[in-house]
């Protein structure tokens, strides 16, 4: 007996986005029966997260955005600022709680769409589709049988890669005693932070008003920090760089985003697929994920709503999630990651140079993986050409290493258990 046509495991950005599309009112005619399985309250469910992305005004989530900005700023180590107008895009902030409520309305409305809380222990193919096994909030065994399963949970281990870095961060939601922020300007990268021994660091400021903002400290490096070191870096940034004066911390978020040229495989079985970061949605060179998740889940929903063989009796194509980034984009990311990891290019100079020399609209499309070959070529000319060409020549001869091998060769601090908060929102 089949419990659903589609089971979605995990209610992060990817799981919620797919459920939002499949349970839309416009999908009623061909809607499959959908079950979204979310982890119960506890260590498996992450705290509220922030997802940031750019798109033109009028997007599907505009009604529940926390904030948006029509100007972006990048500061060099010397404080020099490049302020850009990203038109026709706006930079948008979506809080996971608001998104969950939006999707929850759809899951509680149409027939065939529901959400349950359970701890998933295994997902495996069966003769008729796939089975999700685990236990519910009362500890009772749970099994869900479906034609298709989409698993958005993080992989237990990253794939082998030539280069693996981590984008790791801790942010404070602050409220200042006096006006301290320009509400119309978001600081994507502020390199007035101490450079770590290996990698790069920067500040990230998203104003929510003249006296409120999310202020983050971010590093690209091989290992994460402990909480005390993050807080010391944040205190330096808020006190010595931003000079915020008196403020209170009203909320905290922290996370880790993998930056790797490892190969992610969206298909995990005949009827089991990975979506989101586990399905390769994170842009390896920047950590951005949300826009790629929208492309990926849109393609999956289109396949299901026009072709699941269990719905309507017609023979239709399997809803295999597409690779969210082109082969060309992944190759460019591999070069950039290796150049940063070897120190051949200075990260602060690299990113500030891109924002100074490349038209903002073109650069934002590139960062999201939506630029064309001609645009990518022009952007490549705006990077340090000699070290990049040296890296291009080197990559084919490098062996892909398991994550433990990559991290062990550098004296970074030992990792701590990360709290995932926004898959790919930073920088």
């Amino acid at each position: 007996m089949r419990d659903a046509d589609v089971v979605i495991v995990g209610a992060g950005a990817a799981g919620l986005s797919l459920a939002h599309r499949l349970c839309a009112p416009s999908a009623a005619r061909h809607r499959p029966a959908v079950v979204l399985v979310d982890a119960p309250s506890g260590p498996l469910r992450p705290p509220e997260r922030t997802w940031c992305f750019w798109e033109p005004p009028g997007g599907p989530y505009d009604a529940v955005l926390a904030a948006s900005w029509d100007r972006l700023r990048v500061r060099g180590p010397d404080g020099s600022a490049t302020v850009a107008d990203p038109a026709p895009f706006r930079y948008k902030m979506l809080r996971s709680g608001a998104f969950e409520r939006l999707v929850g309305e759809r899951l509680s409305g149409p027939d065939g769409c529901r959400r349950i809380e359970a701890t998933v222990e295994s997902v495996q193919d069966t003769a008729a589709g796939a089975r999700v096994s685990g236990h519910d909030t009362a500890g009772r065994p749970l099994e869900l049988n479906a034609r298709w399963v989409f698993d958005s949970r993080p992989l237990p281990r990253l794939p082998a890669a030539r280069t693996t870095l981590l984008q790791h961060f801790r942010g404070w939601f602050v409220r200042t005693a006096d006006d301290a922020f320009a509400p119309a300007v978001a600081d994507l990268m502020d390199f007035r932070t101490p450079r770590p021994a290996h990698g790069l660091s920067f500040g990230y400021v998203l104003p929510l008003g003249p006296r409120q903002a999310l202020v983050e400290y971010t590093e690209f490096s091989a290992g994460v920090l402990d909480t005390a070191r993050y807080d010391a870096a944040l205190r330096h940034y808020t006190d010595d760089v931003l000079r915020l004066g008196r403020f209170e911390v009203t909320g905290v978020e922290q996370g880790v985003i993998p930056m790797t040229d490892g190969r992610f495989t969206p298909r995990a079985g005949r009827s089991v697929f990975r979506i989101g970061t586990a399905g390769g949605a994170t842009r390896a060179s920047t950590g951005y994920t949300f826009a790629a998740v929208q492309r990926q889940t849109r393609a999956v929903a289109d396949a299901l709503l026009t072709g699941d063989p269990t719905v309507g009796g017609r023979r239709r194509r399997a809803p295999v999630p597409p690779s969210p980034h082109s082969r060309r984009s992944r190759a460019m990311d591999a070069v950039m990651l290796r150049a940063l990891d070897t120190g051949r290019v200075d990260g602060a100079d690299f990113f500030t140079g891109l924002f100074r020399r490349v038209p903002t609209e073109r650069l934002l499309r590139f960062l999201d993986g939506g630029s064309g070959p001609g645009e990518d070529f022009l952007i490549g000319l705006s990077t340090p050409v000699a070290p990049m060409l040296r890296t291009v020549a080197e990559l084919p001869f490098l062996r892909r290493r398991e994550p433990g091998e990559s991290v062990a060769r550098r004296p970074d601090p030992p990792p701590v258990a990360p709290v995932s908060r926004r898959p790919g929102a930073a920088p």
Side-chain angles (χ1 to χ4, degrees):
M1 181 179 294
R2 186 174 295 163
D3 299 292
D5 297 311
V6 175
V7 170
I8 303 168
V9 180
L16 289 170
S17 296
L18 182 55
H20 186 263
R21 295 180 186 281
L22 292 178
C23 297
S26 60
R29 183 178 178 184
H30 302 295
R31 179 185 298 120
V34 177
V35 176
L36 174 65
V37 184
D38 192 9
S41 299
L44 294 180
R45 178 183 286 187
E48 188 165 11
R49 292 139 288 166
T50 302
W51 298 313
C52 292
F53 55 100
W54 39 73
E55 67 177 5
Y61 312 129
D62 276 13
V64 293
L65 294 176
S68 66
W69 301 269
D70 57 13
R71 284 190 291 164
L72 305 176
R73 181 165 54 201
V74 173
R75 290 188 183 273
D78 61 355
S80 58
T82 300
V83 180
D85 179 352
F89 304 117
R90 286 181 67 88
Y91 194 54
K92 301 180 178 183
M93 173 197 277
L94 177 63
R95 296 282 283 161
S96 62
F99 194 25
E100 288 173 9
R101 289 189 290 274
L102 177 69
V103 178
E105 293 175 2
R106 291 194 170 181
L107 290 171
S108 62
D111 294 336
C113 291
R114 59 193 176 106
R115 177 177 182 172
I116 64 174
E117 289 189 357
T119 300
V120 173
E121 295 164 349
S122 68
V123 178
Q124 55 189 158
D125 281 315
T126 64
R131 178 178 298 122
V132 176
S133 302
H135 58 270
D136 64 15
T137 54
R140 297 182 295 260
L142 173 75
E143 283 193 352
L144 294 170
N145 292 286
R147 180 65 186 93
W148 310 110
V149 173
F150 296 89
D151 194 345
S152 68
R153 295 173 300 169
L155 293 174
R157 185 177 180 83
L158 292 174
R162 292 164 297 194
T163 309
T164 298
L165 296 176
L166 300 176
Q167 180 179 160
H168 52 101
F169 45 84
R170 182 171 171 86
W172 291 341
F173 285 90
V174 302
R175 181 182 292 115
T176 59
D178 302 305
D179 290 357
F181 305 105
V185 183
D187 285 287
L188 289 186
M189 289 180 161
D190 184 347
F191 291 102
R192 295 177 295 172
T193 54
R195 179 173 178 173
H198 185 93
L200 70 151
S201 71
F202 54 89
Y204 178 61
V205 182
L206 300 181
L208 304 174
R211 300 187 182 189
Q212 292 177 280
L214 169 60
V215 180
E216 286 189 353
Y217 173 79
T218 301
E219 282 192 14
F220 293 0
S221 61
V224 301
L225 310 180
D226 58 33
T227 300
R229 293 177 68 185
Y230 283 123
D231 284 346
L234 275 166
R235 180 59 66 179
H236 165 76
Y237 185 57
T238 55
D239 291 357
D240 301 334
V241 178
L242 298 180
R243 301 183 183 277
L244 296 184
R246 290 185 298 111
F247 67 88
E248 63 173 321
V249 177
T250 60
V252 177
E253 58 182 30
Q254 183 171 329
V256 180
I257 300 171
M259 302 175 68
T260 171
D261 66 353
R263 299 181 178 124
F264 291 82
T265 305
R267 193 158 201 166
R270 292 189 310 274
S271 298
V272 180
F273 309 99
R274 299 187 183 99
I275 56 175
T277 295
T282 298
R283 184 77 198 262
S285 60
T286 63
Y288 280 108
T289 306
F290 196 84
V293 160
Q294 302 313 303
R295 293 195 296 269
Q296 190 180 60
T297 56
R298 185 184 303 115
V300 169
D302 287 347
L304 286 167
L305 296 174
T306 61
D308 189 329
T310 66
V311 179
R314 291 177 291 170
R315 176 57 55 185
R316 302 171 178 178
R317 58 194 171 100
V320 181
S323 176
H325 302 290
S326 68
R327 183 176 299 179
R328 184 184 69 257
S329 294
R330 296 195 301 271
M332 295 180 71
D333 286 346
V335 174
M336 178 177 164
L337 278 177
R338 178 68 180 175
L340 287 173
D341 193 39
T342 58
R344 289 182 189 136
V345 300
D346 178 270
D349 290 343
F350 182 89
F351 285 108
T352 54
L354 284 179
F355 274 90
R356 278 198 307 267
R357 293 189 287 267
V358 179
T360 306
E361 179 186 357
R362 178 186 300 164
L363 181 57
L364 296 185
R365 284 200 304 272
F366 169 76
L367 295 177
D368 265 345
S371 54
E375 292 177 310
D376 289 349
F377 176 76
L378 293 174
I379 289 171
L381 294 179
S382 298
T383 66
V385 175
M388 300 299 269
L389 288 177
R390 178 183 172 187
T391 305
V392 169
E394 175 188 63
L395 278 177
F397 302 99
L398 296 177
R399 181 172 67 89
R400 292 183 181 272
R401 301 172 180 267
E402 296 297 325
E405 295 180 74
S406 299
V407 173
R409 64 186 173 85
R410 288 192 293 269
D412 288 84
V416 297
V419 178
S420 173
R421 61 92 168 134
R422 53 175 176 133

